[in-house]
Amino acid sequence: MTSSSAGVPLIYPIHEKSTEGSSPPPLAVGGKGHALMELASIGAPVPSGFVCSPALSAFFQDGAPNPPEQVKATVDEGLNLLREWSGKTFGDAQNPLLLSVRSSAPAPMPEAQPTVVNIGLTPDGVDGLIRQTNDARLAWDAYRRFIHSYGMYVLGVEPGGFDQLLAKALSQANAEADHELHAEALEALAKGFREHCESQAGCALPSEPREQLYNAVAAGFKAWNHPRAVDHRRATLQEHLPGTAMVVQEMVFGTGAAHSGAGSLFTRHPASGKKKLYGKFLERAYVEDLTAGVRFTEDLSALGKLAPKAYKELKGWAEKIERHFHDAQEIQFTIDEGRLMILQSRPAGRTAAASIRIALDLVDEGICNERDALCQIDPVAIDLLLHPTLDRSGAEEILSKGVPASPGSAVGQVVFFAEQVEEMAAQGVKIILVRQETTPEDIGGLSAAEGILTAHGGLTSHAAVVARGMGKCCIVGAQQIDINYHINEMTIGEKTVKRMDWISLDGNTGEIFAGQLPQVQPSLEGDVARVMEWADRHRSMGVRANADTEADARKALEMGAEGVGLCRTEHMFFDIERIPIFRKMILSVDEIGRSAALAELLPMQRKDFMEIFRVMQSRPVTIRLLDPPLHEFLPRSIRSQTRMSKAMNISVEMVQHRSEALSETNPMLGHRGCRLAFTYPEIYHMQVRAIVEAACIVAKEGVAVQPEIMVPLVSTARELALLRESIRDLADRVMEELAESLSIQIGTMLETPRAAVCSRSIAAHADFYSFGTNDLTQMGFGFSRDDSGSFLPMYMEKGVLEEDPFVALDQEGIGAMMRIAIEEGRKSNPDLKVGICGEHGGEAASVKFFHKLGLDYVSCSPFRLPIARLAAAQAAIEMEEE
Amino acid sequence: MTSSSAGVPLIYPIHEKSTEGSSPPPLAVGGKGHALMELASIGAPVPSGFVCSPALSAFFQDGAPNPPEQVKATVDEGLNLLREWSGKTFGDAQNPLLLSVRSSAPAPMPEAQPTVVNIGLTPDGVDGLIRQTNDARLAWDAYRRFIHSYGMYVLGVEPGGFDQLLAKALSQANAEADHELHAEALEALAKGFREHCESQAGCALPSEPREQLYNAVAAGFKAWNHPRAVDHRRATLQEHLPGTAMVVQEMVFGTGAAHSGAGSLFTRHPASGKKKLYGKFLERAYVEDLTAGVRFTEDLSALGKLAPKAYKELKGWAEKIERHFHDAQEIQFTIDEGRLMILQSRPAGRTAAASIRIALDLVDEGICNERDALCQIDPVAIDLLLHPTLDRSGAEEILSKGVPASPGSAVGQVVFFAEQVEEMAAQGVKIILVRQETTPEDIGGLSAAEGILTAHGGLTSHAAVVARGMGKCCIVGAQQIDINYHINEMTIGEKTVKRMDWISLDGNTGEIFAGQLPQVQPSLEGDVARVMEWADRHRSMGVRANADTEADARKALEMGAEGVGLCRTEHMFFDIERIPIFRKMILSVDEIGRSAALAELLPMQRKDFMEIFRVMQSRPVTIRLLDPPLHEFLPRSIRSQTRMSKAMNISVEMVQHRSEALSETNPMLGHRGCRLAFTYPEIYHMQVRAIVEAACIVAKEGVAVQPEIMVPLVSTARELALLRESIRDLADRVMEELAESLSIQIGTMLETPRAAVCSRSIAAHADFYSFGTNDLTQMGFGFSRDDSGSFLPMYMEKGVLEEDPFVALDQEGIGAMMRIAIEEGRKSNPDLKVGICGEHGGEAASVKFFHKLGLDYVSCSPFRLPIARLAAAQAAIEMEEE
């Protein structure tokens, strides 16, 4: 019955009578086309029409007639179907058949997709429509809407001019909104629109209805192939999408004189998730008016009063449609003189919190299966549900507001120095650490505090990153706060908070309260556990956690980690007992002095690793060799330097001198990572020995340990080749000493742009890659994480960047480097295992992207594992469906 | 006569009788094969043989027999030729025909290429050889050399074991070198070699001469396809090379009892370039022994005494061969019982200084044309020739030695503070500025000094880069120097140099002398000018200069610039009159204050640009908008801050506070470049206005100005799109104000790795790219130029890197990013103009690489322009020949 190209149909009918069996998938007809065909198939009242297949795109080639003949023929075929069903002939001015044309893309696109209404109207047709409906207002309104939508989407006329003409018409009529305009005013407006449109476009509106229709359909196909759209799809790995479909449907008017209007409804409450119809309605309107913001919408009860029968019918259909699509729906409808027509149904928008409630309820009500439910849950919801919240009465005193950097809440007494926190916390005092900003030296205090508040810094400042890693509430960039360290107090405007005063932090909102607010512990453990169980059944990508200590490792297991993806050995050196020894190593003038200090550290590091191996059992544990520059381990303030000089019995001058000698202009690009291995080889030697000894000892206890040694900051193949050889030699020697034989993988953290483009030669020396997307982002953009706070917010405000690339991975640029690294790397080493251990490993959109890239696993802080598990499952399901 | 594959011959004869017409090009038979065929064609005494074509490589496929049948058949065909010419049969133990096999690659390769000698020898053959030559010593020596070379190159046996066995034999025989060993000792050594070789290889040496020969030829083809070799060719853009040829030749022995030996000679002196035979000779040796360093070589006079007739013949051939190849040659030869045999001739190695002398002489002597002569000149020579040198007597007192960072020489009085230099220099005092290291604040002093000496820093430190930019002699990293700023003196060991003492610097060697040495001004202006004239006739890539001032622009023209490729506007702000105004701008708290200060700067910047436009006339001038972070313009020392606070009538605390607020952890990745345009848009507005006003004013004077506005540090397309729009708007407005209409190009400095991979979307908004390879190298490797001095030297020492990537472009990694940027950029913008303005624009190897990448121009400091012009010409000639 319908035409086809190489076996693919070029046209699909939307009509109760013609929809036999299941409709084609969204990929073939787009989301909208699919939904409409499905609605027709269950007998819902949808306007008749047809879908033009994306296969028609192929006919849009350079030099082909525009629109192509095949497109015209297909559209003609559709019109024949419509005539058959409705008895109306398109282009008949006496009994006009009016149509709408809408794009139906297989996935959301960033730019507005064409929608043209009332196609087929001409000045003659307006007369016919008036005779037919006996409603001049409706007819002129329809005509001006045709010109407006055709002008914008087909002729490329800017919308501003139309808006100005409408505003002028409203002001002349002393009206507030367009439904108050009378037929005469609308007629004048339509003529004004027409003049404006034709002068802007430099051509006349087609007087031939068919020509209008052909052009409108063609406009949709052309928009899909616009270079910006092509770029977007390439950047988001959506190049495989087949193209947009175009939906052509008979018009239904909601602008009739009586019992007419348009509305939309949600089958579940979008904020709470509760099962309850919730929607808005406009009398005498098109559905497009609902979002245009031209007038205030009413709630659904208005429809109940205006057309009770249609309302009852709508409620029935809402329930049926939700059940049919296995998900909460947002339904658009029109009431045409009391008659209900459903224009569209799609998955309903919802808040993070609602998404989890709806998913669980739908499964429990038997409306959807766990696979579909999983895809409906916003991963952010999981995060919020795993942290305690403040129990607010509304009467609490708000002191200030900062940037919410790590969710949850914290209640405690204020302390301004990190070194004071540990001791007090050990005595059971709950502390909020308040600082201008934090540094790596503060790690002990950060770890012991209940929550962290800083006056400076952004989402990617040291405090923010560390706190998220620890799953600890943190607010940063609270700029109103003025801290006076000398007298141990801070002022916020007129208010003063002294040391040991109580404050409360809301990490979800960034609010800072005076006093001790009550906290509500997370109560949805059961629900979250249930969702995680589903997720683990469906995901294919592995999940690991970043864990530096035994406690971290336990937490990681609890949160579902299948291994440790990043164990940062440097954090072990900041321990209060060890830092003096490590500093002694740094201050040594020669290799002998350094080796002596390292020998003291060896048993401590070995113990750390043994503890972690014992917790992780036979799961892989990736240990990164020392990464930060040595100066990070030396104190910066004169006070700390003096204390250090006394403790180590050397002169302050010596401490300062060494500290200055090691200081760097750009430490991020300095003497760190594997570069240390070439200048101070003894450091890595000690670490490798500690790892291998620990692994051998724990292996003797019967544990099938899986140690993986990771070399950081590699930029050339030769670096890795040389270090791999020396690590391998030492590991073999240690295993021989301890009479143990283990398989130890050696890989690298892929974090410099050069390493990404030279991946083919580097991968030949690596068992695995773990992408360090934080540093790759820093070097790729040239954005220092510590300094970008001075311009990144402005970048987001001015739309230069849509998202902070340190929060959500930049898929276009940094993602492209990752893709090159993986493709090239697997050319020389097809067995290369690839993971990621940056902050992005716990961000849902990034995790989905990583799945598409073909990563073997993601690793993130234990507290973000539930997000990663859910996102990985969603990505797997989505890709399977594609 | 010879076999062929798809029309390409598989074999070429090396024999006087068979070489008709010109021999195949080096690409077809490799450099060695080509030279030998040429030598044969002019009747030179070369051993007969044949060349196996690179086309045979194609038969080395997975699963094919090894060696492939076609290779065997080709070799057999060659053996037939040899039998025809010599009457000897290969494999005949009574009258053995011995052969050598050598690789003949079309271009130099980084790893040793196979050379196997005395193929065909077996234990039986040794007996035959003894009977034939009546020289058991020669025969056993030949056999042990066969085993050694076959073992290494065909069987992959490490050379160390052979070396140990030889050392043992020498010690037992109480001999110093192998020619002293008697036949018995050599026989024992040969047997020891054989045992060692067979046990290491795990297989017996082939007893079949043909099998030996097949395998030796195959080994060469296989070495060419080794993954490391493939990687190297890909990285150096040599993937198009057809493969290696293999040369098979009859053996000639230089180890006979009398009148025998081997030698090599240069037809021109390799250091001075003077026309004079220069060489070395070894009695009773193979040519391989000349480079093995086993004993001291004698000069050619030894040959004159040993075999005067052969020596005379050799001199005649040297002249003929040089004339035939149109270049100075290095010739290897053997004297076999008084008979001269020439084994190889290739272009002679030479120093930079010699290269220019030889090239000019050869042209003048009619031996070569200017095109060939151009390719023989080392671009470094040009650089040395353009600077004054110290006239050394040998009696001068050397104080210390540092890293030579910028060539030439400087003689002057020592001053330790940059701010003192300008005034003194203005009074005609010649100053050497001595500092621990320099900062951008010191620019005035650097500019006024004769030469610069720093105790810290490497080749890419601030002082080094600035000095090279200025063409000024500079020595850095003179670590023995201890400067005491308080008492205005420096100590070097026991010696003390006070302020105003005279010292002399040799920027070519890094030597620092006490006192005032005489200088020799460059005397080869005429020669250099002649070479430049040739170069400009042959190069296709444009050359521009980096120039910030009118004086720079004049220098640029003088050095042959065709435009300004980089005008750094920030250098204009460091001027002593302007810096207070610029600082006022930085210290302003709001946009109004900033705009007021900028309004004061506008006429000054406009004047700068007008001056440059007037000098450059109708040549393009690329002006980069402000790039460095603002804190670079504020003083750092308390002393300077105090002076500034007084001058500006504000508190020191205010200066310090603002300075701290602006300070950054990683300024390289901080708030700079086009990021400033989003936070302080008024700065770029002022600069664009100044540029466009200047261009309009100079255009009205009748100059066809070609301004190009360059946006620095772009990492996203949106940045450039937004800035381009605002620059375009403002430029149009200014041109309207001044009633002028100019074509102004807007482009970007391509210097972040992300911009390289996202080039397709960025190029849509750019008229041109100028690669900032310095920053691209910093971000690509993650190497801070300011800090890499602490590990880069170690990287070079340990062979992690072959060259400092800030000196010679890293072609494999940073080059790959450039290639991506160009390819992707031209997809969206085929008209994109592409240049480079980093330091690499004046480095010869990098310039050649840029030519291959298809860059439109390079830009470098005026003083390096002659290098760029020569290298560009050489690249064009080389690519044409390929």
Side-chain angles (χ1 to χ4, degrees), chain A residues 231 234 663-672 674-675 677-679 681 713 715-716 718-719 722 752-755 757-758 760-761 778-784 786-787 790-791 794-795 798-801 810 812-814 816-817 820, chain B residues 231 234 663-672 674-675 677-679 681 713 715-716 718-719 722 752-755 757-758 760-761 778-784 786-787 790-791 794-795 798-801 810 812-814 816-817 820:
Chain A
D231 277 353
R234 195 182 49 242
S663 77
E664 296 185 302
T665 312
N666 296 291
M668 169 68 210
L669 309 176
H671 192 173
R672 51 174 284 241
C674 70
R675 295 158 200 176
F678 292 95
T679 47
L713 208 68
S715 57
T716 76
R718 193 105 183 102
E719 285 172 319
L722 290 170
T752 68
R754 188 187 187 279
V757 299
C758 298
R760 201 189 309 191
S761 50
Q778 295 198 78
M779 295 180 204
F781 276 93
F783 284 172
S784 161
D786 298 308
D787 305 310
S790 59
F791 56 88
M794 188 63 97
Y795 264 45
K798 295 201 175 173
V800 181
L801 286 173
D810 159 52
E812 182 189 358
I814 308 306
M817 290 183 203
I820 292 170
Chain B
D231 276 353
R234 196 180 51 242
S663 77
E664 295 184 305
T665 312
N666 295 292
M668 169 67 210
L669 309 176
H671 192 171
R672 50 174 284 241
C674 71
R675 295 160 200 174
F678 292 94
T679 47
L713 207 67
S715 57
T716 75
R718 192 104 183 104
E719 284 171 321
L722 290 170
T752 68
R754 188 188 186 279
V757 298
C758 297
R760 200 189 310 191
S761 51
Q778 295 199 79
M779 295 181 205
F781 276 93
F783 284 172
S784 163
D786 298 308
D787 305 310
S790 59
F791 57 87
M794 187 64 94
Y795 263 46
K798 296 202 175 175
V800 182
L801 287 173
D810 159 52
E812 181 189 359
I814 308 306
M817 290 185 205
I820 293 171

Side-chain angles (χ1 to χ4, degrees), chain A residues 62-238:
Chain A
D62 285 348
N66 185 11
E69 289 306 327
Q70 295 88 339
V71 173
K72 292 187 187 174
T74 306
V75 168
D76 289 344
E77 195 179 328
L79 292 175
N80 290 340
L81 288 176
L82 279 178
R83 189 176 48 204
E84 200 177 294
W85 297 327
S86 68
K88 291 186 191 175
T89 302
F90 184 65
D92 178 351
Q94 297 314 309
N95 184 17
L97 169 62
L98 301 186
L99 301 175
S100 71
V101 168
R102 291 180 169 89
S103 290
S104 176
M109 289 292 127
E111 297 192 49
Q113 298 297 306
T115 293
V116 186
V117 295
N118 300 324
I119 295 171
L121 262 192
T122 57
D124 284 351
V126 172
D127 295 339
L129 189 59
I130 293 173
R131 274 192 298 277
Q132 189 188 32
T133 59
N134 202 17
D135 190 344
R137 204 201 149 278
L138 179 149
W140 286 113
D141 183 60
Y143 192 45
R144 64 109 181 173
R145 286 175 189 266
F146 161 70
I147 299 165
H148 189 167
S149 58
Y150 189 91
M152 264 174 67
Y153 293 115
V154 183
L155 301 176
V157 176
E158 292 289 329
F162 295 115
D163 295 343
Q164 281 169 18
L165 287 170
L166 175 59
K168 208 168 132 197
L170 287 172
S171 128
Q172 281 171 351
N174 204 13
E176 284 195 9
D178 51 0
H179 70 298
E180 297 169 27
L181 294 178
H182 293 296
E184 296 72 28
L186 286 167
E187 179 175 356
L189 185 62
K191 287 178 177 160
F193 271 19
R194 181 172 186 133
E195 271 169 37
H196 171 71
C197 184
E198 294 185 339
S199 85
Q200 287 291 307
C203 66
L205 284 168
S207 57
E208 245 311 303
R210 290 214 180 215
E211 201 182 328
Q212 296 173 1
L213 182 58
Y214 297 151
N215 289 340
V217 170
F221 288 117
K222 283 188 243 166
W224 179 263
N225 291 321
H226 189 280
R228 257 202 311 272
V230 173
D231 277 353
H232 172 80
R233 289 196 298 275
R234 195 182 49 242
T236 50
L237 303 186
Q238 297 191 91

Side-chain angles (χ1 to χ4, degrees), chain A residues 1 358 397 412 494 586 616 655 773 800 822 845:
Chain A
M1 190 183 89
I358 292 174
E397 182 194 358
E494 305 284 292
I586 297 174
M616 297 310 292
V655 173
T773 51
V800 181
I822 295 171

